[in-house]
């Protein structure tokens, strides 16, 4: 149809639609020059009606179109302009026009291509636009399919194929050959469901017509009129256009000829299957789990009559010679249990998948059974009424079976009604999966099938598939691989890239038929073998296959002659069957090169089970309505046998069974059947493995000590077979119950007890010590003592360990950040303040997966599994592949085309020998002798096999590959005093994560708080820390660390790295202040742009912003966690540790023992006992091990001071120290949270004022924390802190025996005096020099200052305290109290500034400036400057050694350029505040801060605010009640109370210091009242 005619056909609709939106449409057309200015103005301002205007506008467009040289392009552009601004009714009309235009274009292309040779076709604008639309459709088109996968199960002849015909309302088949293992290419039918629940086959032609409809409905876009497709085709000449592909041509043709149909999106896939026993065993390898399993049973056979298995071919029936008896009930039970064990598979594009498979029991030959018999059968299946997975026919009537007559006459009304009824029942199961399938995958599948049909092959090569895929815009090979994997998982196409990467089985009929015929050879009469193989196999070949399961390569050529060609050869078939573990390669057998267990006959009868070693049963447990039954997956048994035979040096065939057994000896010595197999293991002993169909039975005739080895061997093969079948590994072990034949004794997880499934009185076969049962799970388990000895002595694992320290202010989000890194939920409630360091809790060993996307905690159970895997590898001296490509490729490598090359197995012989009788087995006797010699001096209980950790490792049933990538987190407290102590308890980290609260900016000073038991206490400190200060301090401190030499470490990062993590990103977003983050990044980048140790986020950002409180389990949290983990992993700062296994086992054993003893430490005696049992044979070995653990792990050992204690969990000692500091933060009323009993006011006062305490305070704190006991006492804690130079012992002090600098408050920096210019001794500065981008700055390490002071005070004859703040009483000796400065004030006693008396007559001030340490001397000290400098620098160097810092400090002087500074407070002149009125004057609101400070320093409890207010003259109703109602904590209420007092509210008459003292005394806090005058004198020089 001409373009003008197309436009004219919709012009009337177009006029009606644009008349109501004329102004907008006119403006759009005018903007793109489709109409003139005059016409546009007429549309806007003309007086005519909108209808007439619209008519004129459409006529002008029609006239222009009629005269246009390229009418199609013009029409497309007009359509685009109309859709751009128009309303829905306009868009609908334009869509109709575009649709008609597209079909017209397709028709023109089709007609031209029919009349012009393909090589003469030229690109035209019309064809280019069509190509563009096709490109877009293939690239972006999707269809949502509702797909139901149905597997058909049943005995041979049960009516599966006939049932399928009934479902499709097709005539019943006249006759059929036996269905092969599975025949999805023929029997699995894609069908569409119409509204009437009628199903019909979807032929390829119909599907293409439906796809044409989808293409026609695809929305057009501006891309359709662009030349993008031309450019694409010009750039890539080799790529075919979509229209060059036959499938796309047919879709285009359907569109052009109007044959398109609406796409049906409800599909069903049927997989029919053969019912022969051997076929059922192989079925799971070629079919995927189905949403619905139809179990077809022949109603005439009842439920319990045994089936007669037959094979049908060429109208003949051949009985299958088997003693295996299967009934309908057996098939139902087996199918339901097998399918229930399958793991769900993850399929791309699937958005919704049924949770579990469902089952429908279909009864055929309904016409031949009575209603009574059918009712009895339903009653007999009543156990399935409560099983929600089994879909009943009528739940209310208790009907389970759907009875049908599959042979109703073709075309009859009865057949149609039966078909609809059955289809409706299946549709109502609602078990479809939803697939959002790209169109290109659907067209790819059809194109593969068409191409294979054209080539008359069942397969295509990878090259052919790639060619097709690229023409359909699967542009890369990875896209094609993904598409093939999807088709393998969902459709009838099979692809095995691991072994046959070049072959895609578009129709798997060839491989399934070859395999099915190979089995059928053993059943079919000799006169019909020519129907199966050409030429027929010889008598010898048949005998080898039936008797021994052995075959040669030639038989494949005979069976598959019609299937094989130059691309798909018999060797490929063999490769595939070996990859699927259907056959096994054998050596030195004349009968054949390959073993095929499914070709064997079933066993006739079994020998009596042995009693010396009870048979072990392996099965899956099925719980149904309180009844426990056992089951195994279909296909498990033959795969297990093949997996075992792959262990060539360990497992071999038992002697061949005798062809003509002696009738006088009815018992068979060896089994060679498809369901019973005798194997020789370790060259000596026979294992009989029997398929009981509800379980696998293992019989062993060797020595009991060897049972665990056999147990391991078989269970490993079962695990691998389960993996092949996609079955969960949750199998159980059991024994036949000795009391009840219907009962099983199921082994519990502890492997030392059982429970009976039916006996009321439990048999307890393991509990009663009967080693005929227990030998399977004996202590020796999988490995002998000698092997474990060797493993402990020689085993080694190479670890990649990253140590990470977390830094930041309190509340910055360090703990929450760690939760985010592990993708764990954020803490549910406000956490207590982190102590100084808490590695035992917060430092987490985590494993990193291969892509560094996810970290997870490694729990102790996982570690046992990984150690078991390592032990396995070491003792067996093998590296077994993990069921993947490596194993498959090793199989391919040992195959040549003629298959003369034997297998090269990577599994070698275990060094163990197994004997039937001890006296006949010399190797076992020798091993025992060697073992005795090796362990003769070791007590029996100290043998490795007896240690708990080794028992747990050897008892593991499911091993894990050893993960060698570990991370250690050390979290830390952010309080200032904690930061000073942190370096003593943590070792240098390779990566330091500095956590900053983004809402605080870089320079806002932090408010320090301490949290405990949901209480929050402000820390009153003059020290002001900002985020910038914390960043600088951390980077400079860590940069000064000396690298620690650690045993077993072969590689250590050269220096520490730093990552700045910004929390509360979400708060910035809420406040719309992300610009602040950019400013912070800019400032930090300028400072650290040349510092390669600081890891930037990118070129413009240095801070990694995160929201640590994202909802648990959310996609956003998972993505944020993955992103952060990847960043940290990419830092590449791990150290490499070649760690002896015995050290790893030693660490675990220490923790287990401490946990058992409910202690945080072990004694050295206990540790030595554990170490020796793990082959740390002498004390020096144990000392080395402890030193390593101290340097790398969370275990602490201080041999020089506490040689008898090993802290397996250092949390208690860190908590005690942290609590001692916290005493200075918390209100007196809340001190019970820290100690029991709480410290007295005097104890607290002495700690805060003088830094002095007695041992009793440790007892009280330890009592609260339950730390100390008869072994570890407070005196040990004191000894440790003295050793670490955290505290110093003092003499002759009533206030306390020990000095703890970190307990003191910080000094107000503004009050730190500098010497005046006339002083001749300038301050000495000591610091480390830091070079950064050419700029030199000074810094000192964290923790240096308190240690330096302690080191100085330890020189008791040289260094003493200067007089204290209480007018001279603070002196260490009687001489101090009588000195001329004893009654002077102004000496420093703070955690960052302290005054010391040197040589009993000189005073020095040592001040922590945080960038340097500053030493002040007075003029009297001038002649001793060198000695004093030497004294201080020696203490600093010792402190540096304690902290592992580099000792290359520098010494500098501070010169005063201008200005006059106040006199030093400790000069001989007395300093008095000239404005002081000695407390008599009235106080005002301007004194608020002073009053609050004095009350706090005097330790007045804020909780007494109300009582104090009343004593000061405030009234309850008017003021105090208002304060109470205003809310807030006690501190805020006290502040409001003092404000009201200073304002003189209510009945306040006096506002003096003495009034305050009297009021405090009136609250009964006499101690605080007595301290106020001292505080006034010390703080403000006010004397009352």
């Amino acid at each position: 149809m001409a373009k003008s005619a197309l436009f004219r056909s919709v012009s009337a609709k177009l006029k009606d639609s644009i008349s109501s939106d004329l102004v907008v449409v006119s403006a759009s057309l005018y903007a793109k020059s489709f109409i003139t200015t005059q016409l546009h103005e007429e549309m806007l301002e003309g007086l005519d009606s909108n209808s007439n205007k619209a008519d004129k506008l459409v006529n002008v467009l029609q006239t222009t179109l009629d005269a246009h040289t390229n009418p199609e392009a013009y029409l497309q552009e007009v359509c685009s302009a109309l859709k751009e601004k128009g309303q829905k009714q306009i868009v609908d009309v334009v869509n109709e026009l575009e649709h008609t235009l597209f079909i017209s274009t397709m028709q023109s292309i089709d007609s031209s291509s029919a009349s012009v040779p393909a090589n003469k076709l030229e690109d035209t604008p019309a064809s280019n636009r069509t190509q563009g639309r096709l490109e877009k459709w293939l690239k972006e088109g999707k269809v949502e399919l509702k797909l139901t996968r149905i597997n058909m199960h049943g005995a041979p002849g049960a009516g599966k194929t006939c049932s399928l015909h009934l479902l499709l309302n097709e005539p019943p088949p006249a006759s059929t050959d036996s269905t092969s293992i599975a025949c999805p290419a023929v029997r699995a039918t894609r069908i569409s469901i119409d509204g009437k629940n009628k199903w019909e086959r979807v032929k390829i032609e119909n599907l293409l017509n439906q796809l044409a409809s989808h293409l026609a409905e695809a929305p057009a876009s501006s891309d359709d009129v662009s030349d993008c497709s031309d450019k694409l085709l010009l750039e890539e000449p080799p790529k075919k256009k979509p229209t060059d592909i036959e499938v796309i041509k047919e879709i285009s043709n359907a569109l052009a000829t109007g044959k398109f149909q609406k796409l049906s999106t409800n599909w069903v896939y049927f997989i029919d299957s053969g019912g022969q026993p051997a076929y059922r065993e192989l079925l799971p390898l070629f079919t995927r789990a189905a949403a619905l399993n139809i179990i077809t049973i022949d109603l005439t056979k009842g439920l319990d009559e045994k089936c007669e298995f037959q094979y049908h071919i060429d109208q003949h029936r051949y009985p299958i010679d088997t003693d295996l008896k299967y009934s309908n009930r057996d098939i139902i039970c087996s199918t339901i249990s097998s399918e229930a064990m399958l793991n769900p598979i993850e399929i791309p594009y699937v958005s919704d998948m049924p949770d579990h498979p469902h089952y429908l029991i279909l009864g055929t030959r309904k016409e031949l059974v009575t209603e009574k018999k059918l009712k009895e059968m339903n009653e007999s299946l009543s156990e399935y009424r409560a099983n929600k997975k089994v879909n009943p026919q009528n739940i209310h009537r208790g009907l389970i079976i759907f009875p049908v007559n599959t042979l109703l006459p073709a075309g009859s009304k009865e057949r149609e009604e039966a078909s609809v009824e059955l289809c409706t029942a299946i549709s109502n199961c609602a078990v479809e999966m939803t697939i959002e399938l790209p169109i290109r995958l659907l067209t790819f599948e059809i194109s593969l099938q068409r191409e294979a049909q054209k080539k008359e092959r069942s397969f295509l090569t990878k090259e052919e598939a790639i060619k097709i895929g690229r023409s359909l815009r699967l542009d890369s090979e990875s896209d094609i691989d993904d598409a093939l994997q999807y088709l393998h998982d969902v459709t009838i196409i099979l692809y095995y890239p691991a072994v046959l990467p070049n072959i895609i089985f578009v129709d798997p009929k060839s491989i399934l038929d070859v395999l099915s015929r190979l089995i059928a050879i053993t059943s079919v009469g000799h006169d019909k073998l020519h129907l199966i193989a050409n030429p027929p196999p010889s008598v010898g070949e048949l005998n080898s296959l039936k008797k021994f399961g052995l075959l040669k390569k030639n038989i494949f050529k005979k069976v598959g002659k019609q299937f094989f060609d130059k691309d798909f050869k018999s060797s490929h078939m063999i490769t595939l069957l070996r990859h699927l573990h259907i056959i096994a390669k054998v050596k030195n057998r004349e009968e054949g090169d390959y073993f095929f267990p499914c070709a064997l006959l079933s066993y006739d009868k079994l020998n009596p089970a042995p009693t010396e070693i009870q048979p072990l049963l392996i099965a899956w447990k099925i719980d149904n309505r309180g009844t426990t039954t056992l089951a195994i997956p279909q296909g498990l048994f033959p795969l297990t046998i093949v997996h075992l035979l792959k262990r060539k040096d360990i497992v071999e065939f038992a002697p061949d069974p005798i062809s003509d057994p002696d009738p006088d000896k009815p018992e068979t010595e060896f089994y060679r059947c498809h369901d019973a197999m005798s194997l020789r293991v370790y060259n000596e002993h026979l294992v009989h493995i029997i398929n009981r169909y509800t379980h696998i039975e293992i019989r062993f005739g060797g020595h009991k000590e060897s049972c665990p080895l056999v147990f391991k061997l078989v269970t490993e093969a079962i695990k691998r077979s389960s993996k092949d079948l996609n079955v969960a590994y949750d199998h159980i072990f059991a024994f036949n119950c000795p009391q009840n034949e219907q009962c099983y004794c199921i082994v519990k997880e502890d492997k030392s007890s059982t429970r009976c499934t039916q006996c009321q009185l439990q048999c307890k076969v393991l509990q009663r010590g009967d080693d005929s049962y227990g030998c399977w799970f004996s202590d020796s388990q999988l490995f002998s003592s000698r092997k474990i000895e060797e493993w402990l002595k020689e085993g080694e694992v190479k670890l990649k360990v990253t140590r990470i320290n977390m830094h930041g202010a309190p509340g910055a989000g360090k703990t929450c950040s760690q939760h985010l890194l592990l993708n764990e939920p954020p803490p549910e409630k406000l956490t207590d303040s982190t102590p100084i360091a808490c590695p035992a809790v917060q430092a987490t060993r985590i494993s990193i997966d291969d892509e560094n996307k996810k970290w997870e905690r490694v729990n102790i159970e996982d570690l046992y599994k990984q150690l078991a895997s390592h032990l396995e590898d070491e003792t067996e001296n093998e590296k077994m592949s993990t069921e993947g490509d490596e194993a498959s490729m090793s199989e391919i490598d040992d195959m040549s085309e003629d298959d003369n090359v034997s297998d090269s197995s990577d599994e070698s012989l275990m060094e163990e020998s197994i004997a039937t009788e001890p006296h006949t087995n010399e190797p076992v006797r020798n091993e025992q002798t060697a073992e005795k010699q090796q362990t003769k001096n070791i007590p029996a209980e100290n043998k490795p096999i007896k240690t708990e950790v080794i028992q747990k490792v050897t008892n593991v049933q499911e091993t894990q590959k050893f993960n060698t990538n570990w991370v250690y987190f050390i979290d830390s407290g952010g309080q200032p005093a904690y930061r000073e102590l942190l370096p003593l308890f943590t070792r240098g980290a390779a990566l330091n994560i500095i956590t900053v609260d983004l809402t605080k900016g870089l320079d806002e000073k932090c408010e320090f708080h301490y949290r405990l038991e949901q209480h929050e206490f402000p820390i009153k400190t003059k020290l002001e820390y900002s985020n910038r200060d914390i960043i600088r301090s951390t980077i400079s401190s860590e940069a000064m660390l000396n690298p620690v030499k650690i045993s077993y470490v072969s590689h250590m990062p050269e220096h520490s790295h730093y990552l700045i993590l910004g929390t509360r990103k979400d708060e910035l977003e809420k406040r719309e202040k992300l610009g602040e983050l950019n400013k912070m990044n800019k400032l930090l980048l300028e400072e650290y742009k040349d510092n390669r140790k600081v890891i930037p986020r990118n070129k413009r950002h240095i801070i990694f912003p995160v929201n640590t409180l994202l909802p648990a389990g959310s996609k956003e949290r998972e993505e944020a966690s993955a992103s952060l983990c990847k960043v940290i992993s990419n830092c590449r700062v791990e150290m490499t540790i070649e760690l002896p296994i015995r050290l790893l086992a030693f660490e675990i054993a220490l923790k287990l023992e401490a946990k058992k003893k409910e202690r945080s430490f072990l004694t050295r005696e206990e540790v030595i006992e554990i170490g020796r049992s793990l082959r740390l044979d002498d004390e020096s070995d144990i000392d080395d091990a402890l030193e390593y653990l101290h340097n790398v792990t969370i275990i602490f050992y201080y041999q020089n001071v506490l040689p008898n204690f090993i802290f397996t969990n250092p949390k208690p000692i860190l908590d005690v120290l942290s609590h001692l500091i916290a005493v200075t933060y918390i209100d007196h009323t809340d001190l019970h949270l820290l100690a029991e009993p709480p410290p007295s006011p005097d104890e607290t006062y002495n700690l805060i004022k003088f830094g002095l305490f007695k041992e009793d305070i440790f007892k009280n704190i330890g009592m609260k924390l339950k730390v100390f006991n008869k072994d570890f006492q407070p005196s040990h804690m004191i000894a440790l802190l003295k050793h670490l130079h955290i505290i110093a012992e003092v003499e002759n002090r009533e206030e306390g025996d020990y000095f703890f600098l970190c307990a003191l408050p910080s000094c107000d920096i503004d009050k730190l005096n500098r010497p005046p210019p006339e002083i001749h001794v300038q301050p000495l500065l000591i610091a480390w020099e830091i070079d950064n981008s050419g700029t030199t700055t000074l810094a000192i390490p964290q923790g240096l200052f308190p240690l330096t002071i302690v080191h100085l005070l330890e020189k008791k004859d040289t260094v003493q305290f200067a007089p204290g703040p209480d007018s001279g009483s603070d002196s260490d000796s009687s001489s101090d109290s009588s000195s001329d400065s004893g009654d002077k004030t102004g000496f420093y006693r703070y955690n960052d500034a302290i005054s010391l008396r040197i040589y009993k007559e000189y005073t020095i001030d040592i001040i922590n400036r945080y960038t340097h340490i500053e030493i002040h001397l007075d003029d009297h000290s001038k002649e001793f400057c060198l000695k004093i400098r030497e004294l201080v620098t020696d203490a600093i160097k010792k402190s540096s050694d304690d902290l592992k810092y580099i000792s290359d400090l520098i010494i500098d002087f501070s010169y005063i350029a201008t200005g006059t500074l106040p006199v030093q407070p400790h000069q001989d002149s007395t300093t008095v505040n000239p404005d002081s009125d000695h407390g008599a004057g009235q106080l005002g609101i301007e004194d608020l801060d002073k009053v609050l400070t004095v009350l706090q320093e005097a330790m007045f409890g804020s909780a007494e605010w109300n009582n104090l207010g009343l004593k000061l003259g405030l009234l309850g109703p008017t003021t105090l009640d208002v304060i109470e109602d205003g809310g807030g904590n006690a501190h805020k209420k006290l502040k409001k109370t003092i404000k009201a007092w200073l304002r003189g509210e209510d009945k306040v008459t006096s506002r003096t210091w003495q009034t305050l003292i009297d009021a405090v005394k009136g609250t009964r806090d006499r101690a605080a009242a007595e301290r106020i005058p001292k505080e006034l004198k010390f703080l403000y020089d006010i004397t009352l």
Side-chain angles (χ1 to χ4, degrees), residues 31-171:
K32 297 192 175 181
S33 303
F34 289 122
I35 61 175
T36 63
T37 304
Q38 180 181 349
L39 181 58
H40 178 49
E41 291 174 352
E42 186 178 337
M43 295 295 107
L44 297 177
E45 301 173 0
L47 300 177
D48 209 348
S49 66
N50 282 356
S51 178
N52 290 338
K53 289 180 184 179
D55 186 53
K56 183 172 184 179
L57 183 59
V58 172
N59 287 337
V60 168
L61 295 175
Q62 180 74 60
T63 302
T64 307
L65 176 63
D66 293 342
H68 206 284
T69 56
N70 190 350
E72 184 179 348
Y74 174 77
L75 189 53
Q76 288 279 11
E77 290 169 2
V78 168
C79 288
S80 178
L82 290 171
K83 287 172 67 175
E84 192 174 288
K85 300 288 185 181
Q87 297 177 347
K88 182 180 183 302
Q89 55 186 358
I90 300 175
V91 173
D92 290 343
V93 175
V94 174
N95 281 341
E96 180 185 344
L97 177 59
E98 285 184 326
H99 179 64
T100 310
L101 177 62
F102 179 64
I103 292 175
S104 174
T105 304
M106 294 297 295
Q107 289 171 336
S108 63
I109 293 173
D110 187 61
S111 61
S112 63
S113 63
S115 58
V116 181
N119 60 349
K120 297 295 184 182
L121 284 173
E122 296 180 1
D123 289 338
T124 66
S127 65
N128 285 342
R129 278 188 290 275
T130 302
Q131 292 288 351
R133 187 160 184 169
L134 281 169
E135 293 272 359
K136 181 178 177 65
W137 182 61
L138 289 171
K139 278 284 188 186
E140 302 175 10
K142 290 183 180 179
V143 60
E144 185 178 274
L145 298 178
K146 299 291 186 180
L147 178 62
T148 302
R149 290 182 59 89
I150 298 178
N151 284 358
M152 304 287 287
H153 305 268
K160 299 183 294 297
T161 305
C162 291
S163 298
L164 178 56
H165 280 252
L166 177 64
L167 276 164
L168 298 173
N169 194 22
E170 295 176 347

Side-chain angles (χ1 to χ4, degrees), residues 1038-1103:
E1038 296 292 320
M1040 301 174 211
L1041 283 171
N1042 265 321
V1044 180
K1045 291 184 179 180
I1046 304 174
S1047 304
Y1048 313 111
V1049 173
S1050 59
H1051 171 74
M1052 179 81 81
E1054 293 180 5
H1055 49 70
S1056 296
H1057 285 71
Y1058 310 90
L1059 186 144
I1060 303 172
L1061 193 68
T1063 61
R1064 301 201 172 95
K1065 169 189 171 186
D1066 50 314
E1067 287 296 322
L1068 286 188
E1069 291 171 342
K1070 285 180 188 175
R1071 302 175 191 177
E1072 298 182 353
K1073 287 189 175 182
L1074 286 176
E1076 297 296 321
L1077 177 58
N1078 293 331
K1079 290 179 185 177
M1080 294 169 68
N1081 274 305
K1082 186 176 180 181
L1083 291 170
L1084 290 174
L1085 276 172
E1086 288 176 2
E1087 186 169 352
Y1088 295 108
K1089 61 184 177 182
D1090 296 324
N1091 191 332
R1092 294 185 180 179
K1093 300 174 187 177
V1094 180
I1095 300 165
R1097 181 179 166 207
N1098 52 45
K1099 291 182 179 179
R1100 297 180 58 191
H1101 301 89
I1102 199 168
I1103 300 173

